[in-house]
Amino acid sequence: MVSMLNEAMCNREMKIVVDKGEGRTKSIIAWLSTIEKSGLTITEFFEKYEVPFSHSQYYLYKKRLKEFGESGLCDKRSAGGNRKLTVESEAFIAGCVESNPEVSLQWIQEALNKRYGVTLTPSGITRLLQRLNPDRRKRARGRRRKYEQKAKYNSCGGFELIVALSYHLGWPQMTAHTIKNTVKSLRKAKAFRCAESYFDKEGRDKFGRFTAEYNQREDVRKSRFESITEKRRQKNWKSMNVIRDDIGTIERKSLAILSLPVITMNGGIRTVDSALGQELKHFAGFNYRQSSLTKYLNELKYLGVSTNFLQNIVTFWAKCWGPEMKDISHRTLLCYYIDGNTKAVWSSRRVKQNKVTMLGRVMGCLEHVFIHDSFGHPVYFETYSGHGPCGEHILEMFEKIEGTIQEVPGSRTSVTRVLVMDGASNSVKTLRAFASQDKYHYITPLDDNQWKDRKINRIGRPKRYRYGKATLREVVIELENSQEKGYLIRTRAIKIDWDNGKMTVLLTSLPVETTGPSEIVRSYFDRWPAQELQFKSMKSAISLHRVAGYGKQKVEDEKVAQRQGHVAKMINRLTETLKKPLEDIGVHEESIAKLIPKERRLRNQSEIIHGKRKLPERLREQLESYGKQIQRHEREIKKIEKKHLDHFRLLRKHRREWLRLQGKETVYKVDVELDQIVTFHRVSLANLYAYFIKHFLGGQPTSMTNFLHKIIHLPATIKETDTIRKIILDYNKKDKLMMEKLSGAIKKINALHIIGPQGKQMEFSLEKPLS
């Protein structure tokens, strides 16, 4: 007995042995025997020694040992305990669940009771189903939710069609994966791992949230509009929500940014919290506030995700528009249209400038350079602060996307790729860049002031234009580089004499044996219906004129520095040439400077009465004497300047230029990161509009502005169940033709069985009026 007690006090592994069930029966019997022989009461024994079971278990074990012997203490849990279900009943439940995975727990409970006389609780049935099929999706707790079809109103219900189309094409998924891949790359960077080392607590509350005091800090106020490149150095990357957001959340936020031109009417983000902004709960699946979307865009700006967006936009839309390329498989020329869009930047600081066409003035601006395919769809763009580098830089843009541009499917001949540019891109420097490669050719108009008969080397016979009323002539013309005097380039040109008396000249690098003049002229003038017209409509429909983000980076203005150096050099040279005349003029100017104060004192002593100066005779004579002396010195200065008239005119000109250039040594370059992110969403919206018009409305010519007014702004009634979201669009009795087209489009889009942002199948219908 003593050894047993010592073992209980010194070695506590016996409790573990009992709990594990190893030698359990023998251990319990030994403990029961020790307690009875100890001479202590049960309470005293349990207080003095550590027993591996409780008081109640002691009496239970003693009773079972007395009634059933050692077999009553055996652990029967390894055999499954007292099982209510047999193998047959379990097989029955497994078969029911396999035939109908959505079978209710109540039905299984009643079936077991009726068929096998077994009663199980709902929780017991749930554990049984989990044991039979571990991969089975768990049921939601509580009562089954009953969705009542409560009608909701959407004032811009037509945009739900675009949301459904975007999910069908995979645009939200592509955007979310692009952002996630950028985050994944960031996590591998050293800056992300060291982000927590810098944490600025000044101006935050105890929870780390910003307060009004933070915005009043002097360093924050100064760096508010600094370049994003400077701000990234001290960014705490781990504090951004986009790092932790899942794919679904990013998809919904991207849809909210996509719908900004619709819910704000102008593409801005300041009016998201207004009445129309509540429709975000229908478009994006969540009613985001302005602050949430602003923070989301700022985090994307810090990530620098615009570069990946621009790379993926070409691949994505080339895949979507790929089948259309078969329509031009018979052509030998594949045209890409190059166009720009300039939008004003209002800033008190001196930013890079260019002419803003819609305002008719030179001012700070951002310029987009777009590449459109043969059908006018914008497939790629880049944003620049100030003047966009067109011309020779267009080839650099095509180098970035040439891996995505593939041959035209179905074409039996090799397709020649031609870039159609406007007159702003026809510099000799541009033509030289195209001449140094053979992948791409150009077609561009020649300015009227550049056309001279003396520059013509050869002119061909007249031919009639096959697609219009004009006469064409093949021309070989020589052009001189204005920035490099004496450098000449010879190129092919097409002279167009229209029957109405006008004349146009087109320059091209296409060889004569490749394409005739009529095809070249047609390719250029197809630009208006194929690209210019819909681009004009697109800019207003998607609010492309809006500027997003005003971060600025201070850079040296090299052109101003060069001009300042040139002006200073010219001033020094002219000053040296006019050294003696300037000394003589200096003597006369010094005399004039001494006479002016004397004359001023006399003028102050006089009075003006009825337009006449009243002054005593002596003082008046003295005043006239001073005036004659000053006039004499001024005449002498003019005589000296007349001998060196050209030199003095140049000196005054360069001195004025020097004063004008003071303080302009630096210029602010506007950040384009945020603007490119927002423009990516707007260009995607334009492509979605065009895709819906082409594939769902029959492809009839429809401007995006009309599409916005006639389809997107249609109100709708929303009815939802647990699996289906029904969008009932209102019928417009005033536009029956468009409603007939919309009915056909709804049938097509319903056949796709699209799952929207709410995780439910989207079904559309058009409700006709009762009368």
Side-chain angles (χ1 to χ4, degrees):
M1 183 180 67
V2 175
S3 61
M4 178 64 71
L5 292 176
N6 291 336
E7 186 177 0
M9 290 182 291
C10 302
N11 186 8
R12 300 190 178 185
E13 291 183 358
M14 183 175 289
K15 180 178 180 180
I16 301 176
V17 171
V18 173
D19 291 342
K20 289 184 178 179
E22 299 178 2
R24 181 175 182 276
T25 304
K26 294 181 179 180
S27 299
I28 292 175
I29 294 174
W31 274 106
L32 294 176
S33 176
T34 303
I35 293 172
E36 291 179 354
K37 297 178 180 180
S38 64
L40 301 175
T41 63
I42 302 301
T43 304
E44 292 175 347
F45 190 89
F46 273 83
E47 289 178 353
K48 188 174 182 180
Y49 304 107
E50 183 178 356
V51 184
F53 45 79
S54 62
H55 291 71
S56 58
Q57 288 177 324
Y58 166 76
Y59 293 111
L60 178 62
Y61 292 155
K62 189 174 180 181
K63 180 180 178 181
R64 285 183 174 274
L65 182 62
K66 183 177 180 181
E67 293 180 356
F68 305 104
E70 293 186 6
S71 61
L73 300 177
C74 294
D75 188 1
K76 299 178 181 179
R77 288 178 294 180
S78 60
N82 185 16
R83 298 171 58 87
K84 294 183 178 180
L85 294 177
T86 61
V87 177
E88 182 182 359
S89 59
E90 286 188 1
F92 169 73
I93 296 175
C96 293
V97 174
E98 185 177 357
S99 60
N100 182 14
E102 298 298 327
V103 63
S104 66
L105 301 180
Q106 183 180 359
W107 187 91
I108 296 176
Q109 188 180 32
E110 294 175 355
L112 285 174
N113 191 14
K114 183 178 180 180
R115 191 179 185 94
Y116 298 101
V118 176
T119 303
L120 284 181
T121 62
S123 60
I125 298 175
T126 301
R127 291 193 296 271
L128 171 63
L129 296 178
Q130 190 66 27
R131 177 166 57 83
L132 294 177
N133 187 7
D135 298 330
R136 184 174 182 268
R137 181 174 58 88
K138 292 184 178 180
R139 284 181 171 272
R141 293 188 176 183
R143 294 181 179 179
R144 185 179 181 85
R145 182 179 299 177
K146 295 182 180 180
Y147 286 88
E148 297 181 3
Q149 291 192 359
K150 293 182 179 180
K152 302 177 183 178
Y153 183 76
N154 186 352
S155 57
C156 295
F159 193 75
E160 298 261 8
L161 294 165
I162 302 303
V163 174
L165 177 61
S166 67
Y167 270 89
H168 169 64
L169 297 177
W171 181 86
Q173 298 87 323
M174 179 272 294
T175 305
H177 282 293
T178 302
I179 296 173
K180 273 300 182 183
N181 290 336
T182 306
V183 171
K184 186 177 180 181
S185 301
L186 175 65
R187 289 180 180 274
K188 299 178 182 179
K190 183 180 179 181
F192 182 83
R193 296 192 296 269
C194 303
E196 291 182 346
S197 60
Y198 179 83
F199 185 74
D200 188 3
K201 296 182 180 180
E202 185 179 354
R204 298 174 184 249
D205 58 14
K206 61 181 180 180
F207 301 106
R209 296 174 299 195
F210 292 107
T211 62
E213 297 177 358
Y214 181 84
N215 292 329
Q216 296 173 0
R217 288 171 45 181
E218 185 177 358
D219 57 334
V220 173
R221 295 169 69 109
K222 288 183 178 180
S223 63
R224 181 167 299 169
F225 295 103
E226 282 188 355
S227 171
I228 188 63
T229 307
E230 301 294 331
K231 292 182 178 181
R232 284 191 182 122
R233 298 176 181 176
Q234 297 180 344
K235 180 64 178 176
N236 183 7
W237 300 101
K238 297 182 180 180
S239 66
M240 299 195 304
N241 290 340
V242 73
I243 300 292
R244 300 178 294 275
D245 286 345
D246 57 11
I247 292 291
T249 303
I250 297 176
E251 289 178 4
R252 290 190 293 271
K253 290 182 179 179
S254 298
L255 279 175
I257 303 301
L258 183 76
S259 61
L260 283 180
V262 177
I263 63 171
T264 62
M265 307 300 291
N266 61 359
I269 201 171
R270 296 182 178 179
T271 55
V272 170
D273 292 344
S274 61
L276 196 57
Q278 297 181 83
E279 310 304 340
L280 276 178
K281 62 179 176 291
H282 300 298
F283 301 153
F286 191 85
N287 193 9
Y288 290 104
R289 298 178 65 89
Q290 172 195 341
S291 57
S292 300
L293 297 183
T294 302
K295 184 177 182 180
Y296 174 68
L297 286 176
N298 289 337
E299 290 178 351
L300 294 186
K301 178 180 66 174
Y302 277 104
L303 280 178
V305 75
S306 67
T307 304
N308 295 334
F309 275 157
L310 295 182
Q311 292 175 354
N312 292 341
I313 191 175
V314 185
T315 308
F316 180 80
W317 289 114
K319 181 180 178 181
C320 295
W321 293 114
E324 284 198 2
M325 299 299 290
K326 295 181 180 179
D327 297 340
I328 59 173
S329 59
H330 62 282
R331 297 187 185 180
T332 57
L333 296 182
L334 181 60
C335 295
Y336 291 92
Y337 302 104
I338 313 301
D339 204 353
N341 176 54
T342 307
K343 47 191 180 182
V345 173
W346 302 94
S347 175
S348 59
R349 294 182 176 180
R350 182 174 177 266
V351 298
K352 291 190 174 183
Q353 299 180 346
N354 193 20
K355 183 178 180 181
V356 181
T357 307
M358 63 180 180
L359 299 179
R361 58 183 293 183
V362 176
M363 60 180 298
C365 64
L366 294 179
E367 184 170 1
H368 298 301
V369 180
F370 281 92
I371 297 178
H372 304 258
D373 62 12
S374 299
F375 300 96
H377 308 136
V379 295
Y380 185 73
F381 73 93
E382 287 186 359
T383 308
Y384 300 92
S385 176
H387 176 61
C390 299
E392 68 276 9
H393 297 280
I394 295 296
L395 292 174
E396 298 179 5
M397 294 177 62
F398 270 85
E399 289 178 359
K400 300 176 183 178
I401 65 174
E402 64 181 359
T404 307
I405 301 176
Q406 300 176 355
E407 292 294 333
V408 178
S411 178
R412 298 181 179 180
T413 60
S414 177
V415 177
T416 304
R417 305 186 183 279
V418 182
L419 310 187
V420 181
M421 304 177 290
D422 56 16
S425 305
N426 58 6
S427 65
V428 174
K429 190 175 182 180
T430 302
L431 306 187
R432 290 174 60 182
F434 275 91
S436 62
Q437 51 84 44
D438 55 1
K439 287 184 180 180
Y440 304 100
H441 297 274
Y442 64 85
I443 300 176
T444 181
L446 182 68
D447 294 339
D448 294 339
N449 58 359
Q450 294 291 324
W451 173 260
K452 294 180 182 179
D453 292 337
R454 294 177 56 193
K455 295 183 178 181
I456 298 175
N457 279 45
R458 186 173 64 252
I459 186 168
R461 295 180 179 180
K463 296 180 181 179
R464 289 299 293 176
Y465 180 35
R466 290 189 293 175
Y467 307 103
K469 298 179 181 180
T471 301
L472 310 182
R473 288 177 179 268
E474 288 277 2
V475 178
V476 177
I477 189 172
E478 287 184 355
L479 300 175
E480 184 180 7
N481 193 343
S482 59
Q483 298 181 355
E484 187 178 345
K485 293 295 184 181
Y487 190 94
L488 300 175
I489 186 171
R490 186 175 294 173
T491 184
R492 179 189 180 188
I494 310 295
K495 182 185 178 184
I496 310 169
D497 293 314
W498 300 98
D499 292 352
N500 59 7
K502 296 182 179 180
M503 184 192 72
T504 307
V505 180
L506 297 179
L507 303 179
T508 181
S509 60
L510 289 166
V512 178
E513 60 275 6
T514 301
T515 310
S518 293
E519 294 297 331
I520 294 174
V521 175
R522 181 190 180 186
S523 298
Y524 177 79
F525 286 101
D526 279 350
R527 175 178 181 169
W528 172 252
Q531 182 262 328
E532 287 278 6
L533 184 61
Q534 59 178 314
F535 188 53
K536 176 183 177 183
S537 173
M538 182 191 78
K539 288 190 285 188
S540 60
I542 63 175
S543 305
L544 197 61
H545 64 281
R546 296 283 300 188
V547 176
Y550 282 91
K552 300 175 184 67
Q553 182 179 5
K554 193 174 183 180
V555 296
E556 297 292 332
D557 195 331
E558 298 179 358
K559 292 184 178 180
V560 171
Q562 292 177 1
R563 295 196 63 176
Q564 283 183 342
H566 173 72
V567 170
K569 184 177 179 181
M570 291 299 299
I571 291 175
N572 293 334
R573 183 183 300 176
L574 291 170
T575 304
E576 186 67 26
T577 304
L578 301 173
K579 183 177 181 180
K580 183 64 171 63
L582 288 175
E583 290 178 356
D584 297 340
I585 290 174
V587 174
H588 292 289
E589 288 179 345
E590 185 178 355
S591 299
I592 292 174
K594 293 179 180 179
L595 291 171
I596 288 176
K598 298 178 181 180
E599 185 186 39
R600 185 180 298 123
R601 284 195 296 269
L602 293 176
R603 289 178 186 273
N604 291 334
Q605 295 177 18
S606 65
E607 294 181 359
I608 305 296
I609 301 176
H610 301 298
K612 302 293 184 179
R613 188 185 302 276
K614 299 297 182 179
L615 197 66
E617 185 68 22
R618 183 179 62 82
L619 296 178
R620 187 176 65 252
E621 292 177 357
Q622 191 175 1
L623 178 63
E624 292 176 355
S625 174
Y626 290 153
K628 291 179 180 180
Q629 293 180 41
I630 291 174
Q631 291 175 2
R632 185 174 66 252
H633 287 297
E634 290 178 346
R635 285 194 297 270
E636 292 297 326
I637 291 174
K638 288 184 178 180
K639 289 181 181 179
I640 297 173
E641 290 181 349
K642 193 173 182 180
K643 297 178 182 179
H644 309 276
L645 189 60
D646 294 338
H647 289 86
F648 274 104
R649 186 173 62 251
L650 286 175
L651 181 61
R652 285 193 294 268
K653 175 185 175 181
H654 285 97
R655 282 177 174 174
R656 288 194 303 268
E657 183 71 7
W658 170 260
L659 293 175
R660 188 185 69 84
L661 295 175
Q662 296 308 302
K664 297 183 178 181
E665 298 84 1
T666 58
V667 67
Y668 286 90
K669 178 182 177 182
V670 180
D671 280 333
V672 299
E673 177 69 29
L674 182 58
D675 193 84
Q676 286 195 144
I677 293 172
V678 176
T679 305
F680 161 78
H681 289 81
R682 292 173 182 169
V683 169
S684 299
L685 180 60
N687 277 284
L688 289 170
Y689 283 170
Y691 193 94
F692 189 88
I693 294 172
K694 174 70 176 178
H695 294 278
F696 292 89
L697 292 181
Q700 296 296 326
T702 303
S703 69
M704 291 189 183
T705 305
N706 286 338
F707 177 74
L708 183 70
H709 294 160
K710 295 183 177 182
I711 301 295
I712 301 300
H713 287 168
L714 279 177
T717 303
I718 313 295
K719 294 182 179 180
E720 288 185 284
T721 64
D722 54 347
T723 57
I724 297 177
R725 176 180 172 83
K726 297 181 180 180
I727 301 99
I728 306 171
L729 299 171
D730 289 357
Y731 187 93
N732 184 9
K733 295 185 293 184
K734 298 180 181 180
D735 193 1
K736 294 184 179 180
L737 180 60
M738 182 58 73
M739 293 300 101
E740 291 178 2
K741 294 181 181 179
L742 182 58
S743 298
I746 287 175
K747 292 179 181 178
K748 293 179 182 178
I749 206 164
N750 283 339
L752 300 175
H753 305 292
I754 300 171
I755 305 298
Q758 292 83 3
K760 302 175 184 179
Q761 182 176 328
M762 303 179 72
E763 290 186 1
F764 295 88
S765 62
L766 191 61
E767 186 178 35
K768 293 186 178 181
L770 298 177
S771 58

